[in-house]
Structures are given as C-alpha cells and as structure tokens.
Amino acid sequence: MTATTTRPAPPRRPRARRRGLSRQTREMWLLMLPAMVPVLLFSVGPLLYGIGLAFTDARNTRVHETSFVGLENFTRLLTDDEFWSSFQIGAIWSVSVTVLQFLAALGLALLLNEKLRGRGVARVLSVVPWAMPPVVIGLMWKLVYHPDAGVLNDLLGTHINWLADFSLALPAIIVVGIWAGMPQTTVVLLAGLQNVPKELYEAGEMDGAGSWRRFWNITLPQLRPIIVAITSLDFVWNINQFGLVYVLTQGGPGGRTRLPMLFAYEEAFRYRMAGYASMLGLAMAIVVLAVLGLYLWRQMRGVK
C-alpha cells in the first residue's frame, strides 16, 4: 500500500482593505449628523458670515450696496476713541468680576463642603441665581438700586441713584455680575473639593500642618486644573456680557458702563454700521483668544 499525502493548502492572502469609510465610521457620522447640522447652520455659518462682513462697508439699510473695503474698518477701529474707552471699561469689568467672583465662590464652596446643619438647603439656595435669566436678574437689581424705593437705599438711609452716578454705576454692575455668575463657579469648585483625597489632609494633620497650610499646600494645588478651567470660562462669559448690563444701564451714564459688546450693538443697530460692528466683534474675539491663550499657557505649564 502506498500512503497518500495531501498537499497543504496555500496560505490565504490578506484581503485588501476597501477604500473609503468603514461601516462603523459611516454610522458614527450618521449619528452625529443631527447634532452637527444645527451647529453648522446657527454657529459656524453666522460666524463665517460675520467675519466676511468685517471686511465690507455693509449697512443695515436696503438702499446701500455692500462693497469690499479690506482693512478700512480695522484702521478706523484703531483710531476710534469710543472703542478704546469701551475696551478699557470691558477689561475692568471682566477682570474684576472674574477675580472677585472666584474668590467669593471659593469661600462659599469651602463653607458648603463642611458638615454643617442645613447644608443641603444651602447648596440648593446657592444655585438659585444660576437658574434666573439675565433679564430677570437685571430687573431685580434695578429695583434694589432704585433711588427712591430701592432696598439698598432704605438700608443705608440714602437716596443715591446708583445706576446713574458716574462714579458708582460701574462698581454697582460689577456687584451684580459677581452675584449672577458666582453659582456655577461655586458648583464646579465644590465638586473639585469633594474629589480631593482625604488621606492628604490626614497626612497634613500628622505633620502638624494647620488649617491655612493644609489649604495652601493641599487644597489649592489639587484644585489648580479646575481653577484654570473655570476662571477661563468665566472670563470669556464676562467679556462677552451683554443682556445683564443692557437691562441695568444700557451703557450709561455717559458711556461709563458701555462694554465692548454694547458698543458693537449700538454701531450695528443704532447707527446701522454692520460692517464696522462685525470688525468690532472680530477684534474682540482675537483679543480674548490671545489673552486666554497666554493665561492658559502660563497656568498649565505647572500642571503635569
């Protein structure tokens, strides 16, 4: 008998990958499409349109023909004293509100993190301003600052018109900005405090560290990434503030509370200079991104 041998089957060649998107990738894009379409239509589209308007002499009139003017609006912006005045006021407003809002929110978060009676109710009450629209907050504080029937004047026994005084209007709206924006900062910091390992505090106590040293050497370093993130967001929100200040003062008295966004609004809808207003918005966006990028770079260098 002769043994029969079978030849081994030749190795299979790997299938060539099909060109194009895989099925999983196509399904992913299909699921993202309903969310991407509104973003493209109502965010990216208007943004690109506004950037294009910044280089034209567009006006909010039917009879005016729009033409390309290049950097003419930017040149006008550099020599506009009213813009630089509003930019200075906006810088004072945004920096003051961001810093003071953070300090107040940090103190409140530290308090709410302690085991106190009624802590749950206090946490709920602390986020009430967050749930209120800016228009409602503005109207409420306008009543508080009322020169004749305001609560503040009743407590102080004065008749000061806080929102119409040249020297008091800006500090008055800064107080409102701090009160309105503090809740979200408090919530974020409180969440960060609850994630700090308790073992670090126990080790600090064993080493003889007091409350201040534990706060400075343990709490703040642990919260640093959260502090960088929330203060960055607060700065962007504050520099772009419009509705709250518009309800309170509409930029008055005499432009003492005219933030950059209020100035751009007036140029666009009061004076109908849409192209120039678009350049104002574009310039502010560039400034904010530059300042924010520098701040994040300096802060994140120490975060590993």
Side-chain angles (χ1 to χ4, degrees), residues 130-280:
W130 197 5
M132 300 174 64
V135 174
V136 176
I137 294 175
L139 293 174
M140 182 184 69
W141 277 91
K142 208 168 185 179
L143 294 176
V144 172
Y145 286 136
H146 195 277
D148 298 322
V151 176
L152 184 58
N153 281 322
D154 287 343
L155 292 175
L156 299 177
T158 58
H159 295 280
I160 301 174
N161 194 347
W162 298 89
L163 298 177
D165 190 282
F166 279 80
S167 59
L168 297 177
L170 184 57
I173 66 170
I174 287 175
V175 171
V176 181
I178 295 170
W179 185 86
M182 191 172 62
Q184 65 263 28
T185 308
T186 302
V187 171
V188 173
L189 293 175
L190 181 59
L193 287 172
Q194 293 177 346
N195 288 325
V196 176
K198 296 181 180 180
E199 293 80 6
L200 296 177
Y201 293 111
E202 295 174 356
E205 291 181 359
M206 293 179 62
D207 292 339
S211 300
W212 174 252
R213 287 188 60 188
R214 292 198 302 270
F215 170 76
W216 188 260
N217 296 323
I218 298 176
T219 304
L220 282 183
Q222 291 293 315
L223 290 180
R224 186 174 181 180
I226 297 176
I227 293 173
V228 172
I230 192 60
T231 52
S232 301
L233 291 174
D234 286 341
F235 177 77
V236 173
W237 290 331
N238 292 325
I239 196 66
N240 290 319
Q241 184 63 252
F242 172 79
L244 181 64
V245 181
Y246 182 81
V247 172
L248 285 170
T249 62
Q250 296 186 6
R256 294 301 177 91
T257 61
R258 184 192 293 160
L259 303 183
M261 293 302 104
L262 282 171
F263 181 63
Y265 170 81
E266 291 180 354
E267 291 294 326
F269 297 100
R270 179 177 295 181
Y271 304 112
R272 301 183 181 276
M273 304 294 293
Y276 184 55
S278 298
M279 179 58 72
L280 290 171

Side-chain angles (χ1 to χ4, degrees), residues 18 49 95 111 113 164 171 183 207 268 285 288:
R18 296 180 180 179
Y49 180 70
V95 173
L111 181 63
N113 194 43
D207 292 339
V288 170

